[in-house]
Coordinates of all heavy atoms in Angstrom, one line a residue:
M1 N 25.4 -51.1 149.9 CA 24.3 -50.6 150.7 C 24.4 -49.2 151.0 O 25.4 -48.7 151.2 CB 24.2 -51.4 152.1 CG 23.5 -52.7 152.0 SD 22.9 -53.0 153.7 CE 22.2 -54.6 153.3
S2 N 23.3 -48.5 151.0 CA 23.2 -47.2 151.2 C 23.0 -46.9 152.8 O 22.3 -47.5 153.4 CB 22.1 -46.5 150.5 OG 22.0 -45.2 150.8
N3 N 23.7 -45.8 153.2 CA 23.5 -45.3 154.6 C 22.5 -44.2 154.8 O 22.4 -43.7 155.9 CB 24.9 -44.9 155.2 CG 25.9 -46.1 155.4 OD1 25.4 -47.1 155.5 ND2 27.1 -45.7 155.4
V4 N 21.8 -44.0 153.7 CA 20.9 -42.9 153.8 C 19.5 -43.6 154.4 O 19.0 -44.6 154.0 CB 20.4 -42.4 152.4 CG1 19.4 -41.3 152.4 CG2 21.8 -41.9 151.7
S5 N 19.1 -42.8 155.4 CA 17.8 -43.3 156.2 C 16.6 -42.6 155.5 O 16.7 -41.5 155.1 CB 18.0 -43.0 157.6 OG 18.0 -41.6 157.9
T6 N 15.5 -43.3 155.5 CA 14.2 -42.7 155.1 C 13.5 -42.2 156.2 O 13.6 -42.7 157.3 CB 13.4 -43.7 154.3 OG1 13.2 -44.8 155.1 CG2 14.1 -44.2 153.0
P7 N 12.7 -41.2 156.0 CA 11.9 -40.6 157.2 C 11.0 -41.6 157.7 O 10.4 -42.4 156.9 CB 11.2 -39.4 156.6 CG 11.7 -39.2 155.2 CD 12.5 -40.5 154.8
N8 N 10.9 -41.7 158.9 CA 9.9 -42.5 159.6 C 8.5 -42.0 159.4 O 8.2 -40.8 159.4 CB 10.1 -42.6 161.2 CG 9.3 -43.6 161.9 OD1 8.1 -43.8 161.5 ND2 9.7 -44.0 163.0
S9 N 7.4 -42.8 159.1 CA 6.1 -42.3 158.8 C 5.5 -41.6 159.9 O 4.7 -40.8 159.8 CB 5.2 -43.5 158.3 OG 5.2 -44.5 159.3
S10 N 5.9 -41.9 161.2 CA 5.3 -41.4 162.3 C 5.8 -39.9 162.5 O 5.2 -39.1 163.2 CB 5.6 -42.1 163.7 OG 6.9 -42.0 163.9
T11 N 6.8 -39.5 161.8 CA 7.4 -38.1 161.9 C 7.1 -37.3 160.7 O 7.5 -36.2 160.6 CB 8.8 -38.1 162.2 OG1 9.6 -38.8 161.2 CG2 9.2 -38.8 163.5
S12 N 6.4 -37.9 159.7 CA 6.1 -37.2 158.5 C 5.0 -36.1 158.6 O 4.3 -36.0 159.7 CB 5.7 -38.2 157.4 OG 4.5 -38.9 157.7
M13 N 4.8 -35.4 157.7 CA 3.8 -34.3 157.7 C 2.4 -34.9 157.7 O 2.2 -36.1 157.3 CB 4.0 -33.5 156.4 CG 5.3 -32.6 156.3 SD 5.5 -31.5 157.7 CE 4.3 -30.3 157.2
P14 N 1.4 -34.1 158.1 CA 0.1 -34.7 158.2 C -0.4 -35.0 156.6 O 0.1 -34.3 155.8 CB -0.8 -33.6 158.7 CG 0.1 -32.5 159.2 CD 1.4 -32.8 158.7
P15 N -1.3 -35.9 156.5 CA -1.7 -36.2 155.1 C -2.4 -35.0 154.6 O -3.0 -34.1 155.3 CB -2.8 -37.3 155.4 CG -2.5 -37.9 156.7 CD -1.8 -36.8 157.5
A16 N -2.3 -34.9 153.2 CA -2.9 -33.7 152.5 C -4.3 -33.6 152.7 O -4.9 -32.4 152.6 CB -2.5 -33.8 151.0
D17 N -5.1 -34.6 153.0 CA -6.4 -34.5 153.1 C -6.9 -34.1 154.5 O -8.1 -34.0 154.8 CB -7.2 -35.8 152.7 CG -6.7 -37.1 153.6 OD1 -5.7 -36.9 154.2 OD2 -7.4 -38.1 153.6
R18 N -5.9 -34.0 155.5 CA -6.2 -33.5 156.8 C -5.7 -32.1 157.0 O -4.5 -31.9 156.8 CB -5.6 -34.5 157.8 CG -6.1 -34.3 159.3 CD -5.7 -35.4 160.2 NE -4.4 -34.9 160.8 CZ -3.3 -35.6 160.9 NH1 -3.3 -36.8 160.5 NH2 -2.2 -35.1 161.4
P19 N -6.5 -31.3 157.6 CA -6.1 -29.8 157.8 C -5.0 -29.8 158.8 O -4.9 -30.6 159.7 CB -7.3 -29.1 158.3 CG -8.5 -29.9 157.9 CD -8.0 -31.4 157.7
A20 N -4.1 -28.8 158.6 CA -2.9 -28.7 159.5 C -3.3 -28.5 160.9 O -2.5 -28.9 161.9 CB -2.0 -27.7 159.0
D21 N -4.5 -27.9 161.2 CA -4.8 -27.6 162.5 C -5.7 -28.6 163.1 O -6.3 -28.3 164.3 CB -5.5 -26.2 162.6 CG -6.7 -26.1 161.8 OD1 -7.0 -27.0 161.0 OD2 -7.5 -25.2 162.0
S22 N -5.8 -29.7 162.6 CA -6.6 -30.9 163.2 C -5.8 -31.8 163.9 O -4.5 -31.8 163.8 CB -7.3 -31.6 162.0 OG -6.4 -32.3 161.3
V23 N -6.4 -32.7 164.7 CA -5.7 -33.6 165.5 C -5.8 -35.0 164.8 O -6.8 -35.3 164.3 CB -6.3 -33.7 167.0 CG1 -5.6 -34.9 167.7 CG2 -6.2 -32.4 167.6
D24 N -4.6 -35.8 164.9 CA -4.7 -37.1 164.3 C -5.8 -38.0 164.9 O -5.7 -38.1 166.1 CB -3.2 -37.7 164.5 CG -3.0 -39.0 163.8 OD1 -4.0 -39.6 163.5 OD2 -1.9 -39.4 163.6
P25 N -6.5 -38.5 164.1 CA -7.6 -39.4 164.7 C -7.1 -40.6 165.4 O -7.7 -41.0 166.5 CB -8.4 -39.9 163.4 CG -8.0 -38.9 162.2 CD -6.7 -38.4 162.7
K26 N -5.9 -41.1 165.1 CA -5.3 -42.2 165.8 C -4.9 -41.7 167.2 O -5.0 -42.5 168.1 CB -4.2 -42.7 165.1 CG -4.6 -43.6 163.8 CD -3.5 -44.2 163.1 CE -4.0 -44.9 161.9 NZ -2.9 -45.7 161.3
L27 N -4.4 -40.4 167.3 CA -4.1 -39.9 168.6 C -5.3 -39.8 169.5 O -5.3 -40.1 170.7 CB -3.4 -38.6 168.4 CG -2.9 -37.9 169.7 CD1 -1.8 -38.7 170.4 CD2 -2.3 -36.5 169.3
L28 N -6.4 -39.3 168.8 CA -7.6 -39.2 169.7 C -8.1 -40.5 170.2 O -8.7 -40.5 171.2 CB -8.7 -38.5 168.8 CG -8.6 -37.0 168.6 CD1 -9.6 -36.5 167.6 CD2 -8.7 -36.2 169.9
E29 N -7.9 -41.5 169.4 CA -8.3 -42.8 169.9 C -7.7 -43.3 171.3 O -8.2 -44.1 172.1 CB -8.0 -43.9 168.9 CG -9.0 -43.8 167.7 CD -8.6 -44.9 166.6 OE1 -7.9 -45.8 167.0 OE2 -9.0 -44.7 165.5
I30 N -6.4 -42.8 171.5 CA -5.7 -43.2 172.7 C -5.6 -42.2 173.8 O -5.4 -42.6 174.9 CB -4.2 -43.7 172.2 CG1 -3.4 -42.6 171.6 CG2 -4.3 -44.9 171.4 CD1 -2.0 -42.9 171.4
L31 N -5.9 -41.0 173.4 CA -5.8 -40.0 174.5 C -7.0 -40.1 175.5 O -8.1 -40.3 174.9 CB -5.8 -38.5 173.9 CG -4.4 -38.1 173.4 CD1 -4.6 -36.7 172.8 CD2 -3.4 -38.0 174.5
V32 N -6.8 -39.9 176.7 CA -7.9 -39.9 177.7 C -7.6 -38.7 178.6 O -6.4 -38.2 178.7 CB -8.0 -41.2 178.5 CG1 -8.3 -42.3 177.6 CG2 -6.7 -41.5 179.2
C33 N -8.6 -38.3 179.4 CA -8.3 -37.3 180.4 C -7.4 -37.8 181.5 O -7.5 -38.9 182.0 CB -9.8 -37.0 181.0 SG -9.6 -35.8 182.4
P34 N -6.3 -37.0 181.8 CA -5.4 -37.5 182.8 C -6.0 -37.6 184.2 O -5.4 -38.3 185.0 CB -4.3 -36.4 182.8 CG -4.9 -35.3 182.1 CD -6.0 -35.8 181.3
L35 N -7.2 -36.9 184.5 CA -7.7 -37.1 185.7 C -8.8 -38.1 185.9 O -8.8 -38.9 186.9 CB -8.5 -35.8 186.1 CG -7.5 -34.5 186.2 CD1 -8.3 -33.2 186.5 CD2 -6.5 -34.7 187.4
T36 N -9.6 -38.3 184.8 CA -10.7 -39.3 185.0 C -10.4 -40.5 184.1 O -11.2 -41.5 184.3 CB -12.1 -38.6 184.5 OG1 -11.9 -38.3 183.1 CG2 -12.4 -37.4 185.3
K37 N -9.5 -40.5 183.2 CA -9.3 -41.6 182.3 C -10.4 -41.9 181.3 O -10.4 -42.9 180.7 CB -8.8 -42.9 183.0 CG -7.8 -42.7 184.1 CD -6.5 -42.2 183.5 CE -5.4 -42.2 184.5 NZ -4.7 -40.9 184.7
C38 N -11.3 -40.9 181.2 CA -12.4 -41.0 180.2 C -12.0 -40.5 178.9 O -11.1 -39.6 178.8 CB -13.6 -40.3 180.8 SG -14.3 -40.9 182.3
P39 N -12.8 -40.9 177.8 CA -12.4 -40.4 176.5 C -12.6 -38.9 176.4 O -13.4 -38.3 177.2 CB -13.5 -41.1 175.6 CG -14.0 -42.2 176.4 CD -13.8 -41.9 177.9
L40 N -12.0 -38.3 175.3 CA -12.0 -36.9 175.1 C -12.7 -36.7 173.8 O -12.7 -37.5 172.9 CB -10.6 -36.3 175.0 CG -9.8 -36.4 176.3 CD1 -8.3 -36.1 176.1 CD2 -10.3 -35.5 177.4
E41 N -13.4 -35.4 173.7 CA -14.0 -35.0 172.5 C -13.2 -33.9 172.0 O -12.7 -33.0 172.7 CB -15.4 -34.5 172.9 CG -16.4 -35.5 173.4 CD -17.7 -34.9 173.8 OE1 -18.1 -33.8 173.3 OE2 -18.3 -35.5 174.7
Y42 N -13.1 -33.9 170.6 CA -12.3 -32.8 169.9 C -13.2 -31.7 169.6 O -14.1 -31.9 168.8 CB -11.6 -33.5 168.7 CG -10.8 -32.5 167.8 CD1 -9.9 -31.6 168.3 CD2 -11.0 -32.5 166.4 CE1 -9.2 -30.7 167.6 CE2 -10.3 -31.6 165.6 CZ -9.4 -30.8 166.2 OH -8.8 -29.9 165.4
D43 N -12.9 -30.5 169.8 CA -13.6 -29.2 169.5 C -12.7 -28.5 168.5 O -11.7 -27.8 168.9 CB -13.9 -28.4 170.7 CG -14.7 -27.2 170.3 OD1 -14.6 -26.7 169.1 OD2 -15.4 -26.6 171.2
A44 N -12.8 -28.7 167.2 CA -12.0 -28.2 166.2 C -12.1 -26.6 166.2 O -11.1 -26.0 165.9 CB -12.4 -28.7 164.8
E45 N -13.3 -26.1 166.4 CA -13.4 -24.6 166.4 C -12.5 -24.0 167.5 O -11.9 -23.0 167.3 CB -14.9 -24.3 166.6 CG -15.1 -22.8 166.5 CD -16.6 -22.5 166.6 OE1 -17.5 -23.1 166.0 OE2 -16.9 -21.5 167.4
K46 N -12.5 -24.5 168.7 CA -11.8 -23.9 169.8 C -10.4 -24.5 170.0 O -9.7 -24.0 170.8 CB -12.6 -24.1 171.1 CG -13.9 -23.3 171.2 CD -14.5 -23.4 172.5 CE -15.8 -22.7 172.5 NZ -16.6 -22.7 173.8
Q47 N -10.1 -25.6 169.2 CA -8.9 -26.3 169.2 C -8.6 -26.7 170.7 O -7.7 -26.4 171.4 CB -7.7 -25.3 168.8 CG -7.6 -25.2 167.3 CD -7.4 -26.6 166.6 OE1 -6.3 -27.1 166.7 NE2 -8.4 -27.2 165.9
E48 N -9.5 -27.5 171.2 CA -9.5 -28.0 172.6 C -9.9 -29.6 172.6 O -10.7 -30.0 171.6 CB -10.4 -27.3 173.4 CG -10.0 -25.9 173.7 CD -11.1 -25.1 174.6 OE1 -12.3 -25.4 174.5 OE2 -10.6 -24.2 175.3
L49 N -9.5 -30.2 173.6 CA -9.9 -31.6 173.9 C -10.8 -31.5 175.2 O -10.3 -31.0 176.1 CB -8.8 -32.5 174.0 CG -8.0 -32.7 172.8 CD1 -6.8 -33.7 173.1 CD2 -8.8 -33.5 171.7
I50 N -12.1 -31.9 175.0 CA -13.0 -31.7 176.0 C -13.1 -33.0 176.8 O -13.4 -34.1 176.3 CB -14.4 -31.4 175.5 CG1 -14.3 -30.2 174.5 CG2 -15.5 -31.2 176.6 CD1 -13.9 -28.9 175.1
S51 N -13.1 -32.8 178.2 CA -13.4 -34.0 179.1 C -14.7 -33.6 179.8 O -14.6 -32.8 180.7 CB -12.2 -34.1 180.2 OG -12.6 -35.1 181.1
R52 N -15.7 -34.2 179.4 CA -17.1 -34.0 180.0 C -17.0 -34.4 181.4 O -17.6 -33.7 182.3 CB -18.1 -34.7 179.2 CG -18.2 -34.3 177.8 CD -19.1 -33.0 177.6 NE -19.1 -32.7 176.2 CZ -19.1 -31.5 175.8 NH1 -19.3 -30.5 176.7 NH2 -19.2 -31.2 174.5
A53 N -16.3 -35.6 181.8 CA -16.5 -36.1 183.1 C -15.7 -35.1 184.1 O -16.2 -34.9 185.2 CB -15.7 -37.5 183.1
A54 N -14.6 -34.5 183.7 CA -13.7 -33.6 184.6 C -14.2 -32.2 184.4 O -13.8 -31.3 185.2 CB -12.2 -33.8 184.3
K55 N -15.1 -31.9 183.4 CA -15.5 -30.6 183.1 C -14.3 -29.6 182.8 O -14.3 -28.6 183.3 CB -16.4 -30.0 184.2 CG -17.7 -30.8 184.3 CD -18.6 -30.2 185.3 CE -20.0 -31.0 185.3 NZ -21.0 -30.4 186.2
L56 N -13.4 -30.2 182.0 CA -12.2 -29.4 181.6 C -12.0 -29.4 180.1 O -12.4 -30.4 179.4 CB -11.0 -30.0 182.3 CG -10.9 -29.9 183.7 CD1 -9.6 -30.7 184.2 CD2 -10.8 -28.5 184.2
A57 N -11.4 -28.4 179.5 CA -11.1 -28.3 178.2 C -9.6 -28.1 178.1 O -9.0 -27.1 178.5 CB -11.8 -27.1 177.5
Y58 N -8.9 -29.1 177.5 CA -7.4 -29.1 177.4 C -7.1 -28.4 176.0 O -7.6 -28.8 175.0 CB -6.8 -30.4 177.3 CG -7.1 -31.2 178.7 CD1 -8.2 -32.1 178.9 CD2 -6.2 -31.0 179.7 CE1 -8.3 -32.7 180.0 CE2 -6.4 -31.6 181.0 CZ -7.5 -32.5 181.2 OH -7.7 -33.1 182.3
P59 N -6.2 -27.4 176.1 CA -5.8 -26.7 174.8 C -5.0 -27.5 173.9 O -4.3 -28.4 174.4 CB -5.1 -25.5 175.3 CG -4.5 -25.9 176.6 CD -5.4 -26.9 177.1
I60 N -5.2 -27.2 172.6 CA -4.2 -27.7 171.7 C -3.4 -26.5 171.1 O -4.0 -25.6 170.6 CB -5.0 -28.4 170.5 CG1 -5.8 -29.6 171.1 CG2 -4.0 -29.0 169.4 CD1 -6.8 -30.2 170.1
R61 N -2.1 -26.6 171.3 CA -1.2 -25.5 170.8 C -0.3 -26.0 169.7 O 0.4 -26.9 170.0 CB -0.5 -24.9 171.9 CG -1.4 -24.3 172.9 CD -0.6 -23.6 174.1 NE -1.5 -23.1 175.1 CZ -1.4 -23.4 176.4 NH1 -0.3 -24.2 176.8 NH2 -2.3 -23.0 177.3
D62 N -0.3 -25.4 168.5 CA 0.6 -25.8 167.5 C 0.4 -27.1 167.2 O 1.4 -28.0 166.9 CB 2.0 -25.5 167.8 CG 2.3 -24.0 167.9 OD1 1.7 -23.3 167.1 OD2 3.1 -23.6 168.8
G63 N -0.9 -27.8 167.3 CA -1.1 -29.2 167.0 C -0.9 -30.1 168.0 O -0.9 -31.4 167.9
I64 N -0.4 -29.7 169.2 CA 0.0 -30.5 170.3 C -0.9 -30.4 171.5 O -1.1 -29.3 172.0 CB 1.5 -30.2 170.8 CG1 2.4 -30.4 169.7 CG2 1.9 -31.0 172.1 CD1 3.8 -29.7 170.0
P65 N -1.6 -31.5 171.9 CA -2.6 -31.4 173.0 C -1.7 -31.2 174.3 O -0.8 -31.9 174.6 CB -3.2 -32.8 173.0 CG -2.9 -33.4 171.6 CD -1.7 -32.8 171.2
I66 N -2.1 -30.2 175.1 CA -1.6 -29.8 176.4 C -2.4 -30.5 177.5 O -3.4 -30.0 177.8 CB -1.4 -28.3 176.7 CG1 -0.8 -27.7 175.5 CG2 -0.7 -28.1 177.9 CD1 0.5 -28.1 175.1
M67 N -1.9 -31.7 177.8 CA -2.7 -32.6 178.8 C -2.5 -32.3 180.2 O -2.5 -33.2 181.0 CB -2.6 -34.0 178.3 CG -2.9 -34.3 176.9 SD -4.6 -33.9 176.5 CE -5.5 -35.0 177.5
L68 N -2.2 -31.1 180.6 CA -2.0 -30.7 182.0 C -3.2 -30.1 182.7 O -3.6 -29.0 182.1 CB -0.8 -29.8 182.1 CG 0.5 -30.2 181.5 CD1 1.6 -29.0 181.4 CD2 1.1 -31.4 182.4
P69 N -3.7 -30.7 183.7 CA -4.9 -30.0 184.3 C -4.8 -28.5 184.7 O -5.8 -27.8 184.5 CB -5.1 -30.9 185.6 CG -4.5 -32.3 185.3 CD -3.3 -31.9 184.4
E70 N -3.6 -28.2 185.1 CA -3.4 -26.7 185.4 C -3.5 -25.9 184.2 O -3.7 -24.6 184.3 CB -2.1 -26.6 186.1 CG -0.8 -27.0 185.5 CD -0.4 -28.4 185.8 OE1 -1.3 -29.2 186.3 OE2 0.6 -28.8 185.5
E71 N -3.3 -26.4 182.9 CA -3.5 -25.7 181.7 C -4.9 -25.7 181.2 O -5.2 -25.0 180.2 CB -2.5 -26.1 180.7 CG -1.0 -26.0 181.0 CD -0.6 -24.5 180.8 OE1 -1.1 -23.9 179.9 OE2 0.3 -24.1 181.5
A72 N -5.7 -26.5 181.7 CA -7.0 -26.7 181.1 C -8.0 -25.6 181.6 O -7.8 -24.9 182.7 CB -7.6 -28.0 181.7
R73 N -9.0 -25.4 180.8 CA -10.0 -24.4 181.1 C -11.2 -25.1 181.6 O -11.7 -26.2 181.2 CB -10.4 -23.8 179.7 CG -11.5 -22.8 179.8 CD -11.7 -22.0 178.5 NE -12.3 -22.9 177.5 CZ -13.5 -23.3 177.3 NH1 -14.4 -22.9 178.1 NH2 -13.9 -24.1 176.3
R74 N -11.9 -24.6 182.7 CA -13.0 -25.1 183.4 C -14.3 -24.9 182.4 O -14.4 -23.8 181.9 CB -13.3 -24.5 184.7 CG -12.5 -25.1 185.7 CD -13.6 -25.6 186.8 NE -13.1 -26.6 187.7 CZ -13.2 -27.8 187.6 NH1 -13.7 -28.4 186.5 NH2 -12.9 -28.7 188.5
I75 N -15.1 -25.9 182.2 CA -16.3 -25.8 181.5 C -17.5 -26.1 182.4 O -17.4 -26.9 183.3 CB -16.3 -26.7 180.1 CG1 -16.1 -28.1 180.4 CG2 -15.2 -26.1 179.3 CD1 -16.2 -28.9 179.2
E76 N -18.6 -25.7 181.9 CA -19.9 -26.0 182.7 C -20.8 -27.0 181.9 O -20.7 -27.3 180.8 CB -20.7 -24.8 182.9 CG -20.0 -23.8 183.9 CD -19.7 -24.4 185.2 OE1 -20.5 -25.1 185.9 OE2 -18.6 -24.2 185.7

């Protein structure tokens, strides 16, 4: 038996058909606004997750959603 481990699929690179600056669709399915628990919308142009209910835009930095209300931008 070999002791060499194979990479876990959850830690692998994004699929070639998905741009590097996009958010994993499976992640978007489970993420909700930490304040309202409502679904979020992905704004690819601004790299933000939008909570219409809380009127906040959570930034995405280096592909990682920053889900802290104090880091979010107020929207109208």
Side-chain angles (χ1 to χ4, degrees):
M1 272 205 183
S2 172
N3 288 337
V4 177
S5 63
T6 57
N8 184 334
S9 63
S10 65
T11 61
S12 63
M13 297 296 289
D17 61 341
R18 193 174 86 228
D21 62 348
S22 69
V23 176
D24 185 340
K26 290 184 181 188
L27 182 61
L28 281 176
E29 288 177 19
I30 60 172
L31 281 179
V32 295
C33 175
L35 298 175
T36 66
K37 309 301 185 231
C38 291
L40 298 166
E41 297 173 25
Y42 175 51
D43 184 335
E45 185 178 311
K46 294 183 180 176
Q47 286 296 293
E48 296 177 324
L49 293 175
I50 308 297
S51 171
R52 300 275 178 214
K55 295 186 179 181
L56 292 174
Y58 296 96
I60 299 171
R61 296 186 189 125
D62 298 321
I64 301 169
I66 310 299
M67 303 302 295
L68 301 169
E70 58 269 18
E71 292 285 326
R73 176 178 67 82
R74 277 236 161 265
I75 59 173
E76 294 301 319

